[in-house]
Amino acid sequence: QEQLVQSGAEVKKPGASVKVSCKASGYTFTSYYMHWVRQAPGQGLEWMGIINPTGGSTTYADKFQGRVTMTRDTSTSTVYMELSSLRSDDTAIYYCARWEVGTDDALDYWGQGTLVTVSS
Amino acid sequence: DIQMTQSPSTLSTSVGDTVTITCRASQSISSWLAWYQQKPGKAPKLLIYKASSLESGVPSRFSGSGSGTEFTLTISSLQPDDFATYHCQQYNSHPYNFGQGTKLEIK
């Protein structure tokens, strides 16, 4: 069955970086774009960016430009999201979610989320 | 950037009621709108895509409508399992922004 399994919770100090992984299984990895979405405690959903697993091209929300890097490893069907220069307001649950290439569908399958806590 | 505004933020309602949630876009997004349901501690779940298409496995009491800048999610005959937070998202152009969410509460 299709699965997106994310790495475990992280605690980081301000100014540090965090790298979250999202391993896909049960479907053709290159047939779906991968998005990253975050949710601060008690807040709504915030779109961060998208990666094309085929060529690795990315588009990031302006808010995160220069601080976020999304990469993929096709040999392990894994996507990574690295966020640098962490601040306390980066404390959030980070989700990966897939979107089938060339369809009208939206984010049809989500990872379980990774809690990143930024605290001194 | 396209801004998405949902209303209301909170809705107190009862089992068996029919409810409507509205999502407005700051500019036209054609029909590129999705609705998600999220329960506490869980990832969002896709309900509706392309404004009115029901995702496979989603009960038919959920329906979506609209195009351009105004969209609605209607839930008919509310079930206990439907009390959750609902989010809209535009995917017409980057960034694919979400609305702020609407929480359905039991009256």
Side-chain angles (χ1 to χ4, degrees), chain B residues 33-104:
Chain B
L33 185 100
W35 290 97
Y36 303 88
Q37 177 193 68
Q38 187 179 29
K39 296 181 179 178
K42 298 294 186 181
K45 172 188 173 185
L46 178 63
L47 300 175
I48 301 284
Y49 63 94
K50 209 177 179 189
S52 60
S53 296
L54 193 67
E55 179 71 357
S56 176
V58 174
S60 59
R61 62 180 181 274
F62 292 91
S63 63
S65 65
S67 66
T69 62
E70 188 150 338
F71 302 86
T72 58
L73 172 70
T74 300
I75 312 171
S76 304
S77 187
L78 270 171
Q79 300 300 300
D81 191 49
D82 299 337
F83 290 92
T85 298
Y86 293 83
H87 307 272
C88 63
Q89 182 197 23
Q90 70 84 15
Y91 54 110
N92 179 76
S93 60
H94 299 148
Y96 291 165
N97 288 334
F98 292 85
Q100 79 277 21
T102 295
K103 185 176 182 180
L104 283 193

Side-chain angles (χ1 to χ4, degrees), chain A residues 18-29:
Chain A
V18 68
K19 191 170 186 177
V20 179
S21 68
C22 171
K23 183 174 176 58
S25 62
Y27 71 91
T28 303
F29 180 66

Side-chain angles (χ1 to χ4, degrees), chain A:
Chain A
Q1 72 282 18
E2 296 119 321
Q3 274 193 304
L4 295 175
V5 179
Q6 297 183 223
S7 48
E10 303 263 13
V11 179
K12 296 292 183 180
K13 293 193 182 302
S17 297
V18 68
K19 191 170 186 177
V20 179
S21 68
C22 171
K23 183 174 176 58
S25 62
Y27 71 91
T28 303
F29 180 66
T30 51
S31 293
Y32 290 79
Y33 298 120
M34 199 71 78
H35 298 240
W36 287 90
V37 175
R38 77 177 186 179
Q39 186 171 37
Q43 302 301 306
L45 301 170
E46 184 173 31
W47 187 82
M48 300 180 69
I50 180 175
I51 182 167
N52 181 342
T54 298
S57 61
T58 55
T59 299
Y60 304 135
D62 285 349
K63 175 177 180 176
F64 301 101
Q65 200 74 241
R67 281 210 304 144
V68 71
T69 304
M70 297 177 188
T71 56
R72 94 287 187 222
D73 181 345
T74 55
S75 68
T76 60
S77 298
T78 302
V79 172
Y80 300 90
M81 187 284 299
E82 184 170 21
L83 190 62
S84 62
S85 302
L86 289 168
R87 308 183 288 254
S88 59
D89 62 359
D90 290 317
T91 294
I93 297 173
Y94 290 77
Y95 294 101
C96 59
R98 72 175 198 181
W99 177 27
E100 189 171 8
V101 175
T103 71
D104 297 339
D105 211 344
L107 303 179
D108 71 338
Y109 216 87
W110 295 60
Q112 83 276 19
T114 297
L115 176 61
V116 175
T117 302
V118 183
S119 174
S120 55

